[in-house]
Amino acid sequence: AKALGKGRYAIFDQEMYAQTIHLSQLETDLRLAIERQEFLLNYQPIVSLKTRQVIGFEVLLRWQHPLTGLISPGDFIAIAEDTGLIEPIGEWVLREACQQLRTWQTKFPHASSLHLSINLSIRQIQQFDFIEKLARILAETSLNGENLRLELTETMLMDQGDKTIELLTQIKEQKIQLSIDDFGTGYSSLSYLHRFPIDTLKIDRSFVSLINAEGENCEIVKTIITLAHSLGMKAIAEGVETPHQVTHLSKLGCEAAQGYFFSKPLNLQLAESIIATNPQW
Ligand code: C2E
Ligand code: CA
Ligand code: CA
Ligand code: CA
């Protein structure tokens, strides 16, 4: 940035701007981002390890900032949570994803069982009217909850004890599926886990990435898959990057996987072309 005097700056270097962008500026920009329609969704395919076809997508938020360009959630979700802005942003994500899924169901009848998996933040589920909001969005988009999956982290679940079970039960009443994200990285009380109406454990990338070509270091992944199955849940491996990982995860009975081996998160058009062509990996 080059000073023009009197606190005015011309931006010459995006990276420099990104480094020097003031936190309060980021917050101001974040406040305006919804009305300026700067958010967009990317979709990462989730592949069945049995049929090797796409069974759904994880919805990943992106922010197209007018000056700095595309910002990934890692750089703004924390601020959004601290400022409470995650509530309207999270609601936007939910509505947008539900609308998109409904559109795809109409456009691609062969993909009627396709699901979208949406990340939630703790602040969102702590809203007193979260369940009503969720029901309203489903009604407004005429979407059946069956094709929707919500991702929560262990910390979010363990935080609130019995209140959590009540909340999750209310979500399940709308037929929505529930996943535990980044499983194995937070703290989970195993004695609690079976009381939650969870459908899927998502095995964190840090464990999947340990699996090498020889199939060594599978122990943690194997343990999580066994745990999932013994609790009547399914397992999804995250961050799958190599063919060996696919082979070993399949052998261990992991139901599904996502990661760069199959596909990076895709924009709307690319996600649609995947649905249309229904490739087998
Ligand atoms: P996450 O839920 O664990 O999402 C997976 C992250 O891993 C994504 O990063 C994805 O792009 C990346 N990834 C996927 N496959 C691979 C792989 O094979 N290798 C590697 N190295 N990375 C892979 P992304 O999109 O930057 O999202 C980061 C985090 O931001 C997400 O982690 C999630 O916790 C959060 N997030 C994203 N969208 C939302 C949202 O709509 N709401 C909330 N509350 N959080 C969100
Ligand atoms: Ca996730
Ligand atoms: Ca994850
Ligand atoms: Ca994560």
Side-chain angles (χ1 to χ4, degrees):
K2 187 178 171 189
L4 299 174
K6 288 245 168 194
R8 293 176 58 232
Y9 291 84
I11 310 305
F12 293 111
D13 185 311
Q14 290 199 345
E15 209 169 315
M16 246 167 85
Y17 179 78
Q19 280 163 9
T20 54
I21 188 168
H22 204 277
L23 220 62
S24 68
Q25 185 60 48
L26 198 60
E27 187 187 328
T28 308
D29 291 352
L30 203 51
R31 274 184 202 287
L32 291 166
I34 291 186
E35 49 184 280
R36 288 180 180 168
Q37 302 185 303
E38 290 168 1
F39 290 116
L40 53 106
L41 300 180
N42 276 2
Y43 304 88
Q44 186 175 38
I46 299 172
V47 176
S48 158
L49 289 178
K50 215 176 203 172
T51 66
R52 300 295 169 103
Q53 283 170 323
V54 177
I55 52 172
F57 293 90
E58 176 170 1
V59 172
L60 295 159
L61 180 62
R62 301 288 180 263
W63 180 13
Q64 184 67 55
H65 189 282
L67 292 175
T68 60
L70 211 59
I71 307 183
S72 50
D75 295 328
F76 67 86
I77 290 283
I79 301 170
E81 281 177 346
D82 289 346
T83 53
L85 288 167
I86 195 67
E87 293 181 15
I89 294 172
E91 196 176 331
W92 179 86
V93 171
L94 269 170
R95 182 169 286 108
E96 188 74 10
C98 289
Q99 249 161 26
Q100 191 54 60
L101 184 55
R102 192 72 198 95
T103 304
W104 282 340
Q105 287 175 343
T106 314
K107 202 167 165 183
F108 305 104
H110 73 273
S112 61
S113 63
L114 199 80
H115 76 265
L116 284 187
S117 203
I118 300 171
N119 293 286
L120 293 182
S121 103
I122 186 147
R123 247 189 107 148
Q124 267 180 289
I125 61 167
Q126 281 170 343
Q127 296 171 97
F128 74 97
D129 59 348
F130 176 70
I131 296 295
E132 287 159 54
K133 276 185 179 162
L134 198 57
R136 199 179 322 131
I137 290 171
L138 286 180
E140 278 170 16
T141 54
S142 359
L143 189 76
N144 188 331
E146 275 167 28
N147 296 305
L148 207 61
R149 195 175 278 175
L150 299 179
E151 301 194 1
L152 307 138
T153 62
E154 291 163 278
T155 324
M156 283 164 73
L157 296 178
M158 298 302 158
D159 223 38
Q160 311 183 73
D162 283 347
K163 255 181 81 181
T164 310
I165 296 180
E166 203 182 300
L167 182 84
L168 299 185
T169 306
Q170 286 176 308
I171 295 177
K172 291 296 296 177
E173 278 165 9
Q174 308 192 41
K175 305 261 182 356
I176 295 170
Q177 298 201 45
L178 292 168
S179 294
I180 304 187
D181 203 359
D182 307 339
F183 190 80
T185 61
Y187 99 95
S188 271
S189 160
L190 293 187
S191 59
Y192 239 77
L193 204 55
H194 79 280
R195 296 175 58 197
F196 294 133
I198 300 292
D199 303 282
T200 319
L201 297 185
K202 295 192 76 173
I203 309 166
D204 191 70
R205 174 161 61 91
S206 58
F207 306 123
V208 173
S209 66
L210 296 175
I211 304 176
N212 62 17
E214 286 71 45
E216 291 163 340
N217 308 320
C218 280
E219 293 80 10
I220 298 174
V221 165
K222 188 177 172 185
T223 303
I224 296 176
I225 295 169
T226 306
L227 175 67
H229 292 169
S230 69
L231 292 169
M233 302 172 186
K234 290 183 171 162
I236 298 185
E238 294 192 278
V240 175
E241 294 182 350
T242 71
H244 323 104
Q245 290 166 354
V246 176
T247 306
H248 295 294
L249 287 161
S250 301
K251 268 194 208 151
L252 293 169
C254 187
E255 276 82 7
Q258 65 184 102
Y260 296 167
F261 172 75
F262 300 106
S263 169
K264 292 199 169 188
L266 304 170
N267 67 27
L268 182 66
Q269 285 71 30
L270 289 171
E272 277 207 355
S273 70
I274 290 280
I275 301 170
T277 56
N278 194 20
Q280 195 168 30
W281 264 284

